[in-house]
Structures are given as structure tokens and as C-alpha cells.
Amino acid sequence: MTTATAAARNLPALLQGLYEEGYSGTVRVSGSPGGTIHLRDGLIGAVETPGAPTATSVLLTPGRIDDESWLAACAVERDTERLGAHLVAAGLIGAAELEIVCTAAVFDAAFAMAVGPPGSWTLGDPEPTLLTGSGVAPRRLTEETTRRIVRLSGPWGAPGELARIRPAPVPDAGLRPGLSDRHRSVLSTVNGRRTARDMAFTLGRGLYAIMLDLTRLEARELIRWETGRAADGRPSTAPRVLPGRGAPDAPPTRLTPTGSAPKAAPLPKRTPGGASRPGPGEAQAREGPPGQGPAGGRDAFPGGSSGGHGGL
């Protein structure tokens, strides 16, 4: 157990310690949704979570790269970490665009993990994944995730409450003038059963961007909140396609939910302990403290104590 990992009281502290060590490997985070953080020389090269689309999904779902070309590229370059360079060399995407997509997916996945209940972590050996070109420093990711959480806190409560809302369509909303193509595409997925996560996977867009669009559509009375159905125990209707990128937006001018979303179940208290770094070739990952989370909040990636929220 290294000094940095033993002293980590939460996930951001752990990632910062691993960054200072120049650690390469994976951090698996339990919880809902939980996920896997891929580190290379301390920088975060990818984050994968069931809560948000990955860069691969953002490229394939809307057809930025067609399935046939993608499969052909994977057949030629079987090393996932070198696949991005092959896509660029084959002329399927520009290097700058690919890095933007991959980096946006890192921020979006971190946000998706942060709005759910936290869990424990384990460290493991590096695993192949589609990486960003340069990687993201943990402190930068923490600050941006915190900003997004604060930005999406509203009358419904924390972003985790908004994530459980299943918006219902308003008759003829899509026929109203002045709607952008982006907002029309979101409206096309609103049916009273899908959550923001479902829509993100359906459209191949970032969860954060979808949630922002939903608040703006509700403010314009183009959708209505169906908060009473948020925790009915039904499985997500999102297709299990490959996981999106988020983009900032202007704040809505009016937010009036018709009810309050159910509260999340109580989280387990943190117990003393720490995560240890595995030695080379260790097959058994070592566990971090169970139920590790922010000191005063419910987010998986606490960056501070303001309002009980934080970011990775």
C-alpha cells in the first residue's frame, strides 16, 4: 500500500495520489452506476460507466463512423489503445475531433458516476480501451464535474433526482417554431418512460447535455416532468449500445417540476481503510474502503463540501 492510496479519503484524493505517482492501471468503482477509470501515467485516459455513453457509442450511434468501417478498422487494428490512431490514419475521423469526442466522454462519464450513490474501489492492471490523446488530470476532472453538478441543481433537488425523472411529451410540442434540430431530436425520444440516461444512449449524446436540454425544454413547457414514476423499479429502456459527450449550455429561465422525486436510499457510512496498489502482474485487485464517499454528500466524486455536492 503506497502512502498516497492509504491516505485517500475519497475517490478524487485517490486519483490525485495516483496522478502524483504516475500510476498506470484501472480503478473500478462500485455503486450505482459505478464504472471503470483508466489511468495512464497518472492521467485519466477513459472512464466507462453504465450511466453514460462511451466515446465509441458517440461515434457509432449517430453514424459519425458507420458500423462496417468500424468493424473493418477493428479487424485490422486489434489493439484497442491503438485503434484511435488507426481511425485517423484511415481517414475515418480527424485527430482533433477524435480527441474532443474521447475527452468529452471522460467528463460525461465522471458526471454520470458522480450523481449516483458512491461505492468502494479496487485497483487493477491496465485494461485496453479507446483512450483520449493526452489524458485528463484528476484535478481538472474534479473541478468540471463539480461545476456540472452545481449547474444542474434545481427545484427538483440534486442532479441525481433529475436523472430519475421520466419526462412526458406535451401535445404538438415538436411542431412549435423556433426549435433547434438538437432539441427536436431530444423531444423525439420523450415518451414518459425514458430517463435522461435512456435518451443519451438512444441518441449517442452525453448525459449532461441531455439533462441540460430537458431543463430548457421543460422551461419552455415543451415537456412535463413525470416525477411520480421515477422510482418504480422498472429497468432502463436504454438500448445497450456502446457508450457521450456533454456540452455546457445556458441556464433555463423557468423550472417548475410538478412533483418531487423520491429520495435515494440511505448510503452506508464510510469505514476506515484505504486502497492499495497492486504489484506488477497481480491478478487479485485490492479493495478500497467500502462505501467510500464524500464527507457530506452523496456523489461518487466529491470535490468539496459546498451544498453536499462535488465532482471527480
Side-chain angles (χ1 to χ4, degrees), residues 20 67 69 76-77 98 112 124 135 177 195 282:
E20 293 167 1
D67 291 346
S69 298
V76 173
E77 182 53 77
L98 180 62
T195 63
E282 270 190 301

Side-chain angles (χ1 to χ4, degrees), residues 216 219 290 305:
R216 293 178 63 83
S305 57

